[in-house]
Amino acid sequence: MPESSPPVRRSLFLHAPIRRGPRRMLEQMLALVDDDTPADGPRGPVAVLERRLAELLGKESALFFPSGTMAQQTALRVHADRLGRRTFAAHPQSHLDVWEEQGYNAVHGLRLRRTGDPHELMTAADLAAAAAEPLAAAVWELPQRDLGGLLPTWDELGAQVALVRATGAAAHLDGARLWEAQTYYRRPFDEIAALFDTVYVSLYKSLQGVRGAVLASDAATVEVARVWRQRLGGGIRDAWPLALAALVHLDTLAEKMPAYREHAIAVAAAINADGAARAHPDPPQTPMFHVHLPAGRHAVERAGQEILAEHGIQLWGRVRSASEPGRSAFEVSVGENAMEFTPDEVVGLIHDVLARAR
């Protein structure tokens, strides 16, 4: 039998299991219900979650999906069918393209117009060039995870959305990490969401739920999306545990996020002041940034496993390779786990990784 992984006692990684064990999660969920709480219907957890998120985002309606992949593909399919156009624009590092096996094409016959430089944010000029072909929609991922959590300025974002909408195309927000983005824009969630025709939010990333997603829009769009959810096998019964898990942190997450962002800024500043590695963006725009290391991916992965085995400390979810040989990077997404690490401690751990990776 394969050896089990060493236990994680502390972690910089947001989704480490130390605070997400079944017992703790179930206790938190039980605190939200009583003997009179129905499993479904208008008072059930799924309906409550949908109403709460529709209100937060300032949309007429919202719909639960078992995955963000299904939610986003559904939104794009609805926009494409409505406009009779099959092409949408998105950044080359969009989750839709990089992590979903091009499901937008295989399942829905849609085409992606990769827009902008893979290592930079999309610009209005990039979108204007993409719109030379009639678009069904354009997608903005806020923040752009694979760029270290970068975001356009509020004015840039507004100008880009206006440009796309002037062509008749829809604007869709990949808001999987919208709570992180809000700490940069410092505007109400409904003001951010108002820029977009459809908005997707994840229930298990920032919200630290179990799984699932919600798509919010006008009532007519949501009703068409409901049909597609059923066609794609997403109209699951008894989704109430997933909704409850998301509701656990819905009322408290927004107030914690500014502190997470400030801690990310402090950790990144310490890394860059030390100089052994480089944190980017500098400073972070959100509670997320990348740490770039002067060591190759395999050596860094081995060093991380040694630190985990010896100290029970997990530093990342995965290590990214780099185009330049002998370099790699990992993501820091600050949440409750990372708040336990002081900036100096993180710098010390990076030195430990690099010493072991030599």
Side-chain angles (χ1 to χ4, degrees), residues 14-15 20 49 53 56-57 62-72 95 100 141-143 145 172-180 189 199-216 242-243 245-250 253 257 288:
L14 180 64
H15 295 292
R20 303 182 72 237
L49 177 66
L53 285 173
L56 178 73
L57 299 171
L63 185 64
F64 169 87
F65 281 81
S67 75
T69 296
M70 187 184 294
Q72 296 214 93
H95 193 282
E100 298 177 19
E141 181 183 338
L142 303 178
R145 180 189 184 185
H172 173 72
L173 171 59
D174 176 345
R177 294 171 177 81
L178 181 58
W179 280 265
E180 284 90 339
F189 288 94
V199 178
Y200 141 69
V201 294
S202 171
L203 302 182
Y204 70 88
K205 294 185 171 71
S206 307
L207 281 171
Q208 291 285 282
V210 176
R211 63 175 293 190
V214 164
L215 181 68
L242 306 180
L247 286 166
V248 165
H249 297 296
L250 184 58
L253 180 63
M257 273 292 170
M288 174 189 294

Side-chain angles (χ1 to χ4, degrees), residues 63-85:
L63 185 64
F64 169 87
F65 281 81
S67 75
T69 296
M70 187 184 294
Q72 296 214 93
Q73 289 181 18
T74 293
L76 293 173
R77 178 62 184 258
V78 173
H79 293 315
D81 287 351
R82 184 173 288 165
L83 292 172
R85 303 174 181 179

Side-chain angles (χ1 to χ4, degrees), residues 2-82:
E3 295 183 5
S4 60
S5 299
V8 178
R9 293 195 293 270
R10 301 175 67 212
S11 180
L12 268 176
F13 180 50
L14 180 64
H15 295 292
I18 53 178
R19 284 188 174 81
R20 303 182 72 237
R23 185 181 183 89
R24 178 177 173 82
M25 178 64 76
L26 287 171
E27 289 171 347
Q28 293 173 319
M29 292 162 62
L30 280 170
L32 299 180
V33 299
D34 54 36
D35 290 342
D36 297 325
T37 302
D40 53 22
R43 292 179 50 244
V46 173
V48 170
L49 177 66
E50 289 172 342
R51 286 196 299 271
R52 292 284 308 280
L53 285 173
E55 180 180 2
L56 178 73
L57 299 171
K59 299 298 185 185
E60 288 182 347
S61 189
L63 185 64
F64 169 87
F65 281 81
S67 75
T69 296
M70 187 184 294
Q72 296 214 93
Q73 289 181 18
T74 293
L76 293 173
R77 178 62 184 258
V78 173
H79 293 315
D81 287 351
R82 184 173 288 165

Side-chain angles (χ1 to χ4, degrees), residues 337-357:
N337 292 344
M339 294 295 283
E340 293 184 358
F341 292 80
T342 68
D344 288 344
E345 184 179 10
V346 175
V347 170
L349 286 165
I350 288 172
H351 278 271
D352 194 3
V353 167
L354 293 176
R356 295 168 185 262

